[in-house]
Amino acid sequence: MTRRAASVDVVDQKRDSSPAPKAIPRHLAIIMDGNGRWAKKRFMPRVEGHRNGAKTVRMVVEECRKLGVRHLTLFAFSTENWRRPEEEVGGLMRLFVQHLESELELLLKNGIRLRAMGDLSRLPAAVRELLERNEERTKDLTGMDLILAVSYGGRDELVHAFRKLGRAVKAGELDPETVTEELVSRSLYLPDVPDPDLLIRTSDETRISNFLLWQLAYAEIVVSPELWPDFSRDEFHRCLHVFAGRNRRFGLTQEQASAS
Ligand code: IPE
Ligand code: IPE
Ligand code: MG
């Protein structure tokens, strides 16, 4: 009895410190949720939760780079989040400025290319300019794509894509009958980025909340109970192991999926 328990422990420890390569999604998307609740539990203003969440962002970025994730998309601010109290939105924008300034070094040192997706025209000029500066400074780096979804909504992205296609039809450059799923994918904000394999959402919420609606069609979803500022490296690895154990069939039968 005791021996069995001990051997299980050893396996678990080994699992947490070194996920098998097949546990690594090519594109990982994360809904970083629970900052407000983290702060509330401590009788702090919500923005303190966002400030503390920044540490988790750094850990996840460094870990993904080490593990060989090719694209990491972080949901940082949604089109709906603009409706939050002015104080919180302002605090978040100031945090974006601060971290876009201070983390450029981390990106350069680790060969990480920064990309932004969303309706950036709604952002304060200071945030937009720093995003553009960091995108420009890191555009030739090939270690990993770090994609920040800011002022982003999945429906908003689709509206932009449909307008683009509509303009091409109007200009006589596109026959509507030739519109395919592939063409819609190529009309999105980042046409070259493959769909996410895994979506992680923290804080026990089981919603998509208007994130990557088109791209998540066949993503595996793993929900972590941890609030984002508490989301640890071990918990991250646990999520990757859950993903590795999933059976992705893409609509096929088990036999077909195993054969392909
Ligand atoms: C996620 O944390 C960060 C943003 C949405 C900007 P929340 O601020 O949503 O935290 P909860 O969900 O209220 O705890
Ligand atoms: C989604 O979280 C947006 C981000 C994490 C940036 P929300 O906290 O805004 O989503 P809901 O309101 O719980 O669905
Ligand atoms: Mg939330």
Side-chain angles (χ1 to χ4, degrees), residues 131-243:
L131 279 172
E132 281 164 10
R133 180 200 72 170
N134 289 1
E135 282 184 321
E136 176 58 29
R137 291 282 304 277
T138 62
K139 71 177 190 310
D140 297 323
L141 303 179
T142 56
M144 179 173 88
D145 275 3
L146 169 60
I147 302 163
L148 289 184
V150 268
S151 185
Y152 174 85
R155 288 186 168 186
D156 192 51
E157 178 176 34
L158 287 170
V159 167
H160 277 91
F162 298 151
R163 283 194 193 138
K164 203 170 175 182
L165 293 173
R167 280 194 298 270
V169 169
K170 196 173 169 196
E173 294 156 3
L174 176 68
D175 172 358
E177 298 311 316
T178 64
V179 173
T180 56
E181 291 187 10
E182 222 225 302
L183 183 60
V184 175
S185 291
R186 276 195 279 120
S187 309
L188 300 175
Y189 284 131
L190 302 177
D192 59 304
V193 175
D195 291 344
D197 305 290
L198 170 62
L199 170 70
I200 295 177
R201 181 166 187 158
T202 57
S203 83
D204 242 352
E205 302 292 359
T206 47
R207 286 188 288 279
I208 300 286
S209 298
N210 202 13
F211 192 35
L212 304 173
L213 294 181
W214 176 273
Q215 300 91 324
L216 288 173
Y218 262 105
E220 292 298 324
I221 302 178
V222 175
V223 171
S224 164
E226 299 293 341
L227 303 175
W228 181 250
D230 292 331
F231 187 70
S232 64
R233 185 175 166 276
D234 280 357
E235 176 62 3
F236 181 34
H237 283 205
R238 189 193 66 78
C239 294
L240 292 175
H241 278 282
V242 172
F243 168 70

Side-chain angles (χ1 to χ4, degrees), residues 32-38 46 50 76-77 81 84 88 92 203:
M32 312 184 286
D33 200 13
N35 294 348
R37 276 163 280 171
W38 186 93
R46 292 178 59 87
H50 300 311
F77 192 83
N81 291 152
R84 290 195 180 188
E88 182 173 351
L92 272 163
S203 83

Side-chain angles (χ1 to χ4, degrees), residues 66-78:
K66 262 190 245 157
L67 294 171
V69 170
R70 292 294 315 148
H71 310 272
L72 169 65
T73 302
L74 300 178
F75 202 3
F77 192 83
S78 74

